[in-house]
Amino acid sequence: MGHFLDNNGFLLVTLVQQALLAMSLYFPLAAGQLSLASPGFYALGGYIAAIVGTLDYFAPWRASLGWLVFPLEWLLAAAASALLALLVGIPALRLRGIYLALATIAFVEILRVLSLNLEITGGAIGIFGVPQLFESRWGYIAVFGPLLVCTLVFGHRLERSRVGRAFRAIREDELAADAMGINTTRYKVLAFVIGAVLAGVVGAMSAPFLNTWNARQGTFDASIAYLAYVLIGGSRSIWGPLFGGMLLAALPEVLRPLKDSRLIINGLVLVFASIYLPQGISGTLARFSPGKRKGALPAGEPQEDA
Amino acid sequence: MKRAALLIVNCLLFAGAAHAETVATPIPIGIALAQTSNVALLGEEEVVGAKIAEKYFNAQGGVNGTQVKLVFQDTGGDEAGAINAFSNLINRDKVVGIVGPTLSQQAFSADPVANRLKVPVIGPSNTAKGIPQIGEYVGRVSAPVAIVAPYAVKEALAENPRIKTVAVLYAQNDAFNTSESKTFQETVVQRGLKIATVQKFMTTDTDFTTQVTAVLAANVDLAIISGLSADGGNLVKQLRQLGYKGAIIGGNGLNTANIFPVCGKYCEGILIAQAYSPGGDPKNAINNALIKEYRATYKKDPPQFTAQTFAAVQVMVEALKKVEAVTKSKIGKLDLGKAREELNKAIRTGSYLTPLGKINLNQGGEIHQETFYVARIKMDANGKTGKYIYVK
Amino acid sequence: MGTAQLIQNLLNGISIGSVYAIFALGYTLVFSILGIINFAHGAIFTLGAYLTYALAVGQFGINGLLSGMSLERQLPFALALLVGSVLAGAIGVLVERFAFRPLRNRGADPLLALVSSLGVALVIVNAIQYLVGAEIYTFPAGVYGELPPALMFQVSGHPVVIRTVQAIIFAVCLLILAVVGYLVRFTKFGKALRAVAENPATASLLGISVDRFILVTFFMSGFLGGTAGALVGTSFGVAGPYFGVTYGLKGLAVIVLGGLGSIPGAVLGGVVIGLSEAFVPADYGAYKEAVAFAFLFIVLLFRPQGILGRKQLQKV
């Protein structure tokens, strides 16, 4: 067992981390909002943890708080992500479908260019020597694991709550939901903020996990990768992003023996999975159980604020 | 709760590490470089250097008769990929030490992992500040600052004493080039020259007309460029195409044959500051061997990253020999943990005559390189390939 | 800013903007018909550059499966550009056939097309690297014949310069835009294309073979992307399998700015973004990358249908 974890500890925690990021995209999607902003909040959370962990200005905090500084970083990341998500979300969520996706891609890119150029984010090199919570990489399962469990429980409960029903109503038909008296803007922003806070906290946990943080964390590529996690996993339940994130994140590592051609195969798998698992893994599994839902998310049309 | 989890984790780890095992033969040395992603542009040059080194040192008898085997793991271009490659090398491939990764950013992520597990790492191309400070098991063979910059300026002045005004151009999104440019600017001022304009660009830029017109408008005698191959080469090309006639100095980032196809015939005459020079010391036997082997396959001179990776493997192999001398035991008989520890000590003792010239790593793992070089680019008649003619 | 500087920036902006325009046209054509964004378009751009290089120069470098090989026959550059772009178009057709059509036929979530096209992009980019490595390939100086490298003139005592290659790229782009404009505006094919874009169901009732038009659209899209890649390649070199990524991303900003699905919009968007990048002062060059996205974000917030896009009522 010890050996197995030595070999694969980092990878296993990475799978959990990627599943969490997939979930951060799942929540807005549950309310019908295709937001690709997660990498932006992930990057923000990571920078907050890295800055609080390394900057001299925060040395007294670190000295007086001890290991409690880490939970503080998570809280700060959550708060900052929520705030930024409100600022960005309230105007951006008037957009639908692919338009919202494009706006969030722009948001991620703008944040990336900013962090590449600011002094406090360490420019191109980024921030290194981020203080550690655990000696081994596997140890980080002790933070990512509980977060995963909490998120799963939260997601599961949400689906059955009034808020979850409102999300679903908006997802199925926003105009009808509006007509039914659901405050669609409020719920859309709420879903967006939930995703942002999750991504921000994962980022704050990831900075120590990766030892360093730079502008290469949280990019357009990541945006699309998370989308792939959710859609291949299945976007109709919280289990989808869990399966999708873990399987797809493991793929390049599982294919490692193929050496030079591993990413070619990885790409082919994405194409085939899209075609043959149109409901996602969880959807395909659920097909054999009663009570399945059907219907696809509309691509959406450009819409002026009504 | 967390404490308890930590305790369990540490027990598991301890159980893992307690397994006594000896080093495999042939002796596995890990190579963790970017073989995929956009960083492969750099990683590919390094892979070639490692492969040539493996062949060369095994032909020389390896480590006192025991062959070495390089184990390649692709890091991709990201941080997680680097940690995965390192984990595989350390735990699955049981290497004695690791050469890699390609980028400084990746080094900041993966080197601490190796350091905690007490596995020696030598960075072949990590030039950022703070790399050797990651830990006692981390070293590098890539010189961090542009000590060489002043020499290039001196050489340009020796050739044309009438140089008065200078334009400085640098890639602002690249840490190495930004700091190299600072050194250049200080040197220029110390020499009593006037900096007429400082122009910034990005390593991702392809169009430099704005910068070039500014240089032309300033009417300078010398342009000093700190950039990488694609951007630097294009900048040189556009400077010349648009009519710049003065001298050009290129920083260390332009020290690669990759710029020849980019600027073509316009590369002619650029003075390049080099941490590695193919023609630097004709009496350097190991450099001649590297050049010969490289030319046989690729018909040109090896680039700096190739030479630096070769040097990194060389340091590993020669340090392994020292380990055998110190422990009076074959490496294959040593416990893996012990071998790694001894290897790390050996890396930091004595000096190495590498293709880079004479180098040594101090106790902190930082490289001390004895000579840096200045070369002039001489292009072939067809303007496709060129040579670095060693000047100083 | 002096007059000379102003003119210089205008020239640079229009030159790069014209490349953005033809690249983005490829995006917008597919979007107008399928309502999806083909994330493999940036990879097709890269592919076009490599194909043209292979046909015109044919010498491979020191990495990848084809290292050290060279093709026996080379085509003249103009022909290589044409054939390379046609091949890129053909790959576009294959992409549609194998990655998009099966999804459509299954009535799958349109978002899956994004994932599928991402998979295609991964395959193309890594296959290129597998074959010819990640090194830089460049076209020899003489691909455009024996022309002087640059034109220079003086404006109020300051030099203004145009690189010959910039002028040629601009001319080629204009030519392509004219041809595409003609095809879409004035031919029967174009009318059918617009009908399919307007409403696929009605179009098929009118006897238009929708699948065939989608194939043609993907061919045109691939052709345009490939041409753009090859042109950029001749100007700056083919800088590795990933050099299309930036264009792929900026192309998104271009098509949204002009109006998603609008052909003149893509052209206008390309020129506007090219110009705004050219006017970013060199000292703030680091932020140049963000210009297109700042535009994208602001346009989406205030005029999501883009400059030339039509305002659409929401379908209920």
Side-chain angles (χ1 to χ4, degrees):
Chain A
M1 184 65 186
H3 258 313
F4 179 77
L5 289 179
D6 280 350
N7 290 347
N8 302 299
F10 175 77
L11 179 60
L12 289 175
V13 180
T14 306
L15 302 187
V16 174
Q17 178 217 30
Q18 297 293 306
L20 281 163
L21 288 168
M23 288 172 189
S24 76
L25 198 138
Y26 162 81
F27 285 110
L29 206 56
Q33 307 306 306
L34 177 58
S35 154
L36 300 179
S38 290
F41 296 109
Y42 173 69
L44 176 72
Y47 275 120
I48 288 176
I51 289 167
V52 173
T54 57
L55 211 64
D56 283 344
Y57 179 82
F58 295 103
W61 293 27
R62 295 192 292 271
S64 56
L65 284 171
W67 68 271
L68 281 171
V69 80
F70 290 99
L72 178 72
E73 289 168 5
W74 308 336
L75 282 178
L76 283 175
S81 299
L83 198 66
L84 187 62
L86 280 175
L87 277 175
V88 174
I90 290 173
L93 286 162
R94 293 181 307 163
L95 299 164
R96 335 188 82 204
I98 203 73
Y99 289 85
L100 174 63
L102 290 171
T104 51
I105 288 174
F107 162 75
V108 170
E109 279 298 301
I110 292 168
L111 276 192
R112 186 182 68 84
V113 174
L114 271 180
S115 57
L116 198 56
N117 289 291
L118 292 178
E119 193 93 5
I120 192 166
T121 50
I125 288 291
I127 298 169
F128 52 89
V130 179
Q132 295 298 302
L133 190 49
F134 304 102
E135 267 290 302
S136 84
R137 294 307 90 192
W138 169 244
Y140 280 85
I141 196 69
V143 290
F144 288 109
L147 183 64
L148 180 74
V149 173
C150 291
T151 312
L152 279 173
V153 170
F154 174 79
H156 203 67
R157 289 216 171 157
L158 187 77
E159 278 175 32
R160 273 149 191 76
S161 72
R162 199 174 55 84
V163 176
R165 280 195 298 277
F167 282 6
R168 258 201 311 283
I170 297 171
R171 175 179 180 153
E172 299 301 342
D173 191 335
E174 187 172 337
L175 280 187
D178 202 29
M180 277 154 58
I182 295 173
N183 184 341
T184 52
T185 311
R186 210 179 108 203
Y187 284 108
K188 276 160 43 177
V189 172
L190 178 65
F192 186 71
V193 171
I194 293 174
V197 167
L198 180 58
V201 174
V202 173
M205 290 178 173
S206 298
F209 177 55
L210 290 175
N211 294 309
T212 181
W213 206 254
N214 54 49
R216 289 142 35 83
Q217 316 302 319
T219 57
F220 170 70
D221 294 355
S223 303
I224 306 296
Y226 304 159
L227 179 65
Y229 295 164
V230 178
L231 293 181
I232 302 292
S235 60
R236 295 269 150 178
S237 89
I238 187 89
W239 299 103
L242 177 71
F243 294 142
M246 290 199 149
L247 287 174
L248 290 186
L251 197 58
E253 287 305 312
V254 173
L255 295 175
R256 200 170 258 282
L258 293 178
K259 299 211 177 247
D260 290 353
S261 54
R262 66 180 175 134
L263 293 183
I264 303 179
I265 307 296
N266 196 350
L268 285 175
V269 170
L270 282 185
V271 175
F272 284 117
S274 314
I275 294 170
Y276 294 107
L277 296 170
Q279 302 292 316
I281 299 165
S282 68
T284 308
L285 294 177
R287 202 185 294 175
F288 301 103
S289 64
K292 67 161 182 163
R293 299 181 214 100
K294 61 178 177 127
L297 193 72
E301 301 290 337
Q303 188 201 20
E304 287 280 76
D305 201 343
Chain B
M1 173 62 201
K2 255 175 231 122
R3 291 267 164 104
L6 183 58
L7 200 66
I8 296 167
V9 167
N10 282 341
C11 285
L12 289 171
L13 279 179
F14 184 71
H19 274 283
E21 50 192 331
T22 52
V23 179
T25 39
I27 305 165
I29 298 173
I31 309 288
L33 298 169
Q35 293 172 270
T36 55
S37 88
N38 54 352
V39 185
L41 195 64
L42 311 171
E44 279 177 349
E45 290 185 354
E46 303 184 307
V47 167
V48 170
K51 285 188 174 154
I52 294 178
E54 180 181 34
K55 194 173 149 199
Y56 176 83
F57 290 108
N58 277 336
Q60 304 269 313
V63 179
N64 305 321
T66 315
Q67 299 279 288
V68 298
K69 182 173 140 242
L70 300 191
V71 187
F72 288 83
Q73 291 287 1
D74 174 27
T75 61
D78 63 339
E79 285 66 23
I83 296 187
N84 276 321
F86 271 49
S87 306
N88 273 302
L89 288 172
I90 294 168
N91 301 307
R92 194 162 299 149
D93 302 323
K94 316 264 183 227
V95 299
V96 289
I98 296 173
V99 172
T102 304
L103 294 183
S104 296
Q105 289 97 325
Q106 293 178 303
F108 285 126
S109 188
D111 287 1
V113 172
N115 191 60
R116 274 171 218 130
L117 297 171
K118 301 193 184 335
V119 180
V121 179
I122 299 179
S125 54
N126 314 138
T127 48
K129 214 185 268 176
I131 295 280
Q133 288 73 32
I134 291 171
E136 53 174 331
Y137 280 81
V138 179
R140 64 173 156 194
V141 294
S142 40
V145 272
I147 313 161
V148 63
Y151 293 108
V153 177
K154 195 174 149 200
E155 187 54 40
L157 279 174
E159 285 176 13
N160 181 3
R162 280 173 304 177
I163 290 176
K164 291 280 178 288
T165 51
V166 181
V168 177
L169 305 105
Y170 70 94
Q172 58 180 336
N173 63 333
D174 184 89
F176 177 83
N177 285 305
T178 311
S179 75
E180 186 192 60
S181 189
K182 267 186 207 134
T183 322
F184 269 128
Q185 292 177 37
E186 283 162 16
T187 316
V188 165
V189 173
Q190 278 164 15
R191 292 250 155 201
L193 304 175
K194 182 174 165 264
I195 300 179
T197 174
V198 177
Q199 294 288 319
K200 302 174 192 171
F201 55 91
M202 305 278 288
T203 53
T204 47
D205 278 350
T206 40
D207 196 300
F208 300 96
T209 334
T210 322
Q211 289 86 348
V212 172
T213 34
V215 171
L216 291 177
N219 198 16
V220 298
D221 312 309
L222 171 69
I224 303 179
I225 301 171
S226 293
L228 301 178
S229 56
D231 49 324
N234 270 309
L235 178 51
V236 169
K237 177 171 154 186
Q238 291 172 31
L239 267 172
R240 291 297 189 209
Q241 281 186 338
L242 301 187
Y244 174 69
K245 298 276 191 305
I248 298 179
I249 290 178
N252 195 224
L254 272 69
N255 185 26
T256 157
N258 272 346
I259 72 161
F260 297 154
V262 182
C263 47
K265 61 177 179 180
Y266 301 108
C267 303
E268 181 76 33
I270 309 175
L271 283 173
I272 300 273
Q274 299 179 312
Y276 166 68
S277 174
D281 176 6
K283 289 198 284 286
N284 182 339
I286 198 153
N287 188 27
N288 292 339
L290 167 65
I291 293 172
K292 195 175 154 212
E293 185 67 31
Y294 192 89
R295 284 190 156 261
T297 324
Y298 306 119
K299 319 267 181 288
K300 55 181 180 181
D301 283 338
Q304 181 173 316
F305 278 179
T306 303
Q308 285 177 327
T309 312
F310 183 100
V313 174
Q314 180 183 358
V315 169
M316 285 279 179
V317 172
E318 289 186 8
L320 283 167
K321 288 185 196 167
K322 283 183 228 160
V323 172
E324 291 203 340
V326 169
T327 59
K328 301 195 174 54
S329 153
K330 295 303 276 180
I331 299 283
K333 298 268 190 297
L334 285 179
D335 167 66
L336 182 58
K338 170 89 173 155
R340 287 168 173 171
E341 203 177 306
E342 289 295 331
L343 175 60
N344 195 52
K345 276 188 219 155
I347 286 170
R348 285 157 175 70
T349 46
S351 62
Y352 306 87
L353 185 59
T354 69
L356 312 175
K358 200 168 164 192
I359 62 167
N360 65 280
L361 274 70
N362 68 17
Q363 280 307 308
E366 184 65 280
I367 183 184
H368 173 72
Q369 183 170 343
E370 228 157 59
T371 32
F372 292 96
Y373 312 89
V374 179
R376 174 182 300 287
I377 294 180
K378 173 101 190 86
M379 296 302 290
D380 295 350
N382 65 9
K384 269 188 191 161
T385 55
K387 269 205 183 90
Y388 291 100
I389 309 295
Y390 172 70
V391 191
K392 199 189 139 37
Chain C
M1 189 183 294
T3 326
Q5 177 87 58
L6 185 80
I7 293 174
Q8 183 72 59
N9 286 346
L10 277 174
L11 288 173
N12 292 346
I14 289 174
S15 155
I16 191 70
S18 63
V19 178
Y20 289 162
I22 60 165
F23 174 76
L25 256 187
Y27 258 139
T28 229
L29 277 173
V30 169
F31 187 89
S32 70
I33 296 230
L34 292 184
I36 55 164
I37 284 174
N38 176 11
F39 277 129
H41 197 52
I44 300 268
F45 169 96
T46 311
L47 190 65
Y50 276 91
L51 287 170
T52 306
Y53 174 85
L55 293 164
V57 186
Q59 278 177 341
F60 300 109
I62 64 173
N63 295 293
L65 201 64
L66 302 180
S67 61
M69 290 200 220
S70 51
L71 298 181
E72 272 178 30
R73 297 192 51 147
Q74 277 88 51
L75 297 177
F77 177 73
L79 196 57
L81 177 63
L82 187 67
V83 178
S85 306
V86 167
L87 287 176
I91 303 277
V93 168
L94 286 181
V95 171
E96 134 62 20
R97 182 68 193 75
F98 291 104
F100 287 96
R101 190 184 297 177
L103 286 172
R104 255 197 335 277
N105 290 346
R106 282 162 176 264
D109 186 337
L111 290 183
L112 275 171
L114 298 183
V115 176
S116 176
S117 63
L118 168 80
V120 170
L122 258 182
V123 172
I124 293 178
V125 163
N126 285 286
I128 292 174
Q129 181 168 350
Y130 184 70
L131 291 174
V132 298
E135 64 202 85
I136 304 170
Y137 288 90
T138 45
F139 291 87
V143 288
Y144 292 120
E146 294 304 314
L147 293 168
L151 304 168
M152 189 172 340
F153 50 93
Q154 301 274 328
V155 175
S156 55
H158 295 285
V160 172
V161 280
I162 315 169
R163 296 167 64 222
T164 311
V165 62
Q166 283 178 308
I168 292 173
I169 288 177
F170 182 61
V172 174
C173 290
L174 275 190
L175 178 71
I176 289 174
L177 289 177
V179 172
V180 172
Y182 174 79
L183 280 178
V184 174
R185 257 308 125 203
F186 299 110
T187 61
K188 213 172 144 191
F189 160 79
K191 285 193 185 108
L193 203 66
R194 276 179 287 148
V196 176
E198 198 68 43
N199 191 332
T202 321
S204 85
L205 282 179
L206 293 171
I208 297 169
S209 159
V210 174
D211 268 349
R212 214 184 95 221
F213 272 93
I214 291 176
L215 273 188
V216 175
T217 308
F218 267 86
F219 175 80
M220 283 175 66
S221 165
F223 182 94
L224 292 168
T227 314
L231 290 176
V232 171
T234 57
S235 181
F236 310 121
V238 185
Y242 288 82
F243 98 120
V245 172
T246 338
Y247 288 85
L249 263 175
K250 272 187 200 161
L252 293 177
V254 170
I255 52 174
V256 172
L257 181 60
L260 262 180
S262 157
I263 289 171
V267 178
L268 183 69
V271 175
V272 168
I273 288 187
L275 280 175
S276 16
E277 285 185 354
F279 277 92
V280 173
D283 277 358
Y284 297 94
Y287 289 96
K288 200 161 90 178
E289 295 282 286
V291 168
F293 300 102
F295 257 116
L296 176 54
F297 198 73
I298 292 166
V299 166
L300 279 171
L301 292 195
F302 294 104
R303 197 179 158 80
Q305 74 272 35
I307 301 173
L308 296 183
R310 278 167 303 160
K311 193 166 163 179
Q312 291 183 24
L313 287 176
Q314 202 195 346
K315 288 174 189 161
V316 182

